[in-house]
């Protein structure tokens, strides 16, 4: 398997794991402040990734030269989460998910500005097909629901967060100085934990951790281990092997994976029309998997 193919496989797993955090997150969202949950998430993830790095590649002192790189990356990713939480105070989840599908296109622009990565005509077609398919899935194949989509203050706030998410991907390649993905992820997670902790200190101190229901702890462990520690390593790994637009294109698969999670959790079966949108995202990814000539 080529390095690029491994990058694609990493992102396929990435999209499936991220989708799980949406389904579980909805079940836990009303029991804990988002910033408190996120801080705990990054704390656990940093410990796990740090242990993994120490046991595998090791954590050389040279990995922490120019620590500003980790602070910049951590701040960028923390910005995404903070603005997402602010945006969701007024934005509807469906509208926010629709805004998120703009991320791959913004990642392509950021990749060109920061790394001079050129998006080919076929890649651009794949991004458009994937975006259309993701929107179709998100709006449940309901054209009227799509036409009723309105951009409010919350959507605008979340849009700026998505810009931060898009910039993060090419920044990984720009700032990496040969550190293994797991070591680089550890540095970023430490910085991200620090930023979120400072921002959400009041929420963290106000949370009665001992009284939290079981679903919160299940969700916390899942997002910390699988949707944070594992996915961040996968994202770093793929970002070092694929153009930014291709990496972020896998976000189009997330709504489809959410449908799978909802089915497994017994929350309903999608209609045939919705599956058409899933097929469009698969077609888009097949276009991206082909080698450029």
């Amino acid at each position: 398997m080529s390095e690029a193919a491994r990058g694609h496989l990493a992102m396929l797993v990435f999209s499936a794991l991220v989708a799980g955090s949406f389904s579980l997150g909805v079940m836990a969202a009303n029991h804990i402040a988002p910033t408190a949950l996120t801080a705990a998430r990054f704390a656990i993830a940093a410990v796990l990734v740090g242990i993994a790095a120490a046991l595998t590649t090791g954590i050389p002192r040279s990995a922490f030269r120019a620590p500003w790189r980790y602070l910049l990356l951590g701040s960028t990713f923390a910005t995404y989460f903070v603005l997402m939480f602010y945006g969701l105070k007024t934005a509807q989840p469906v509208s926010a998910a629709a805004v998120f599908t703009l991320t791959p296109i913004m990642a392509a622009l950021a990749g060109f500005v920061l790394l001079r990565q050129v998006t080919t005509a076929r890649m651009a077609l794949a991004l458009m097909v994937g975006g259309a398919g993701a929107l179709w899935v998100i709006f449940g194949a309901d054209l009227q629901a799509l036409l009723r989509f309105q951009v409010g203050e919350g959507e605008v706030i979340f849009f700026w967060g998505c810009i931060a998410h898009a910039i993060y991907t090419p920044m990984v390649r720009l700032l990496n100085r040969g550190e293994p993905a797991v070591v680089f992820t550890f540095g970023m997670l430490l910085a991200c934990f620090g930023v979120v902790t400072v921002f959400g200190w009041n929420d963290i101190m106000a949370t009665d951790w001992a009284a939290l229901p079981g679903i919160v702890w299940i969700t916390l462990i899942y997002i910390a281990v699988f949707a944070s520690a594992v996915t961040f390593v996968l994202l770093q790994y793929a970002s070092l092997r694929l153009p930014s637009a291709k990496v972020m294109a896998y976000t189009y698969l997330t709504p489809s994976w959410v449908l799978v999670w909802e089915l497994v959790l017994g929350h309903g079966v999608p209609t045939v029309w919705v599956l058409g949108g899933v097929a469009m995202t698969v077609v888009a990814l097949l276009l991206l998997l082909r080698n450029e000539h």
Side-chain angles (χ1 to χ4, degrees):
M1 184 179 292
S2 66
E3 287 296 311
R6 292 182 182 185
H8 283 291
L9 179 60
M11 289 310 299
L12 183 64
V13 177
F14 169 91
S15 61
L17 294 178
V18 167
S21 64
F22 283 90
S23 295
L24 292 174
V26 168
M27 300 168 67
N30 294 324
H31 301 291
I32 185 173
T35 46
L37 183 66
T38 302
R41 163 193 197 170
F42 286 131
I44 297 173
V47 171
L48 293 175
V49 173
I51 293 174
L55 295 178
T56 54
T57 62
I59 307 176
R61 295 179 62 182
S62 59
F64 291 97
R65 65 184 186 275
W68 59 268
R69 296 177 298 151
Y70 301 111
L71 182 60
L72 183 58
L73 285 170
S75 297
T76 301
F77 214 59
T79 297
Y80 164 71
F81 281 105
V82 170
L83 292 182
M84 178 181 70
F85 295 144
Y86 269 118
L88 288 176
K89 287 184 177 181
T90 55
Q92 295 299 313
V94 170
S95 299
V99 173
F100 187 66
T101 60
L102 298 174
T103 305
I105 297 174
M106 294 188 290
L109 295 174
F112 174 76
V113 172
L114 296 176
L115 301 173
R116 290 297 183 263
Q117 293 176 339
V118 177
T119 300
T120 65
R122 195 185 74 237
M123 194 185 300
L125 174 63
L127 291 174
M128 289 188 290
V129 172
L135 286 173
W136 194 247
V137 171
I138 289 168
F139 286 98
D142 186 346
L143 184 59
Q144 293 301 317
L146 178 60
L147 294 176
R148 287 195 301 269
F149 174 65
Q150 296 179 341
V151 179
E153 181 182 1
E155 287 83 359
V156 172
I157 292 174
F158 184 51
F159 174 76
W160 287 104
C162 289
I163 291 178
H165 194 295
I167 294 174
Y168 172 82
T169 306
M171 279 177 58
V172 169
R173 181 176 290 195
L174 182 66
L175 298 179
N176 183 273
R177 298 184 179 179
E179 296 90 355
V182 67
V183 175
F184 204 60
T185 301
F186 175 59
M188 186 280 293
L189 283 173
L190 285 178
C192 204
F193 166 70
V195 172
V196 175
T197 297
V198 170
F199 179 82
W201 182 253
N202 290 335
D203 287 336
I204 295 171
M205 297 305 295
T207 299
D208 186 355
W209 295 93
L212 293 174
I215 185 60
V216 174
W217 290 107
I218 292 173
T219 302
L220 177 59
I221 295 302
Y222 178 85
I223 63 176
V225 177
F226 298 103
S228 291
V230 175
T231 57
F232 285 150
V233 172
L234 292 172
L235 182 60
Q236 305 278 17
Y237 183 89
S239 296
L240 296 173
R241 289 161 176 80
L242 299 172
S244 300
K246 288 191 176 185
V247 171
M248 294 311 300
Y250 276 87
T251 59
Y252 289 145
L253 267 190
T254 300
S256 300
W257 281 119
V258 169
L259 294 178
V260 175
W261 274 90
E262 292 295 292
L263 179 62
V264 171
L265 293 173
H267 295 166
V269 180
T271 66
V272 174
W273 293 109
V274 171
L275 295 179
V278 175
M280 292 177 67
T281 59
V282 173
V283 169
L285 287 173
L286 290 176
L287 287 171
L288 291 174
L289 285 169
R290 292 182 58 189
N291 292 326
E292 300 289 349
H293 297 290

